[in-house]
């Protein structure tokens, strides 16, 4: 059993908040980029970036 303070952390690409490793991400931690499904849905799309320029 790991203590919560010793879990790996990442920063969410959408909101910029830090988030910790979760057991459901055990096999795909390297691919996890967002802290929640809400952040994943609201990520900037390539066509939105072009329109903003």
């Amino acid at each position: 059993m790991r203590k919560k303070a010793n879990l790996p952390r990442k920063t969410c690409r959408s909101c910029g908040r830090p988030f910790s490793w979760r057991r459901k991400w055990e096999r795909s931690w390297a691919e996890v980029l967002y802290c929640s499904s809400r952040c994943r849905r609201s990520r900037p799309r390539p066509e939105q970036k072009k329109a903003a320029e």
Side-chain angles (χ1 to χ4, degrees), residues 12-31:
C12 179
R13 288 196 178 177
S14 179
C15 67
R17 294 181 181 170
F19 63 97
S20 297
W21 179 90
R22 296 182 188 169
R23 186 167 177 110
K24 69 179 183 177
W25 294 330
E26 186 171 18
R27 294 190 176 137
S28 63
W29 178 244
E31 292 86 35

Side-chain angles (χ1 to χ4, degrees), residues 32 35 40 44 50-51:
V32 175
C35 63
R40 190 175 62 246
K50 290 177 185 176

Side-chain angles (χ1 to χ4, degrees), residues 2-53:
R2 291 182 164 183
K3 293 187 177 184
K4 289 187 179 186
N6 298 334
L7 294 174
R9 300 180 69 92
K10 287 187 177 184
T11 303
C12 179
R13 288 196 178 177
S14 179
C15 67
R17 294 181 181 170
F19 63 97
S20 297
W21 179 90
R22 296 182 188 169
R23 186 167 177 110
K24 69 179 183 177
W25 294 330
E26 186 171 18
R27 294 190 176 137
S28 63
W29 178 244
E31 292 86 35
V32 175
L33 302 175
Y34 304 100
C35 63
S36 64
S37 56
R38 180 179 180 183
C39 281
R40 190 175 62 246
R41 284 191 310 266
S42 66
R43 70 182 185 259
R45 302 274 194 249
E47 58 273 4
Q48 289 178 345
K49 287 182 182 178
K50 290 177 185 176
E53 292 176 353

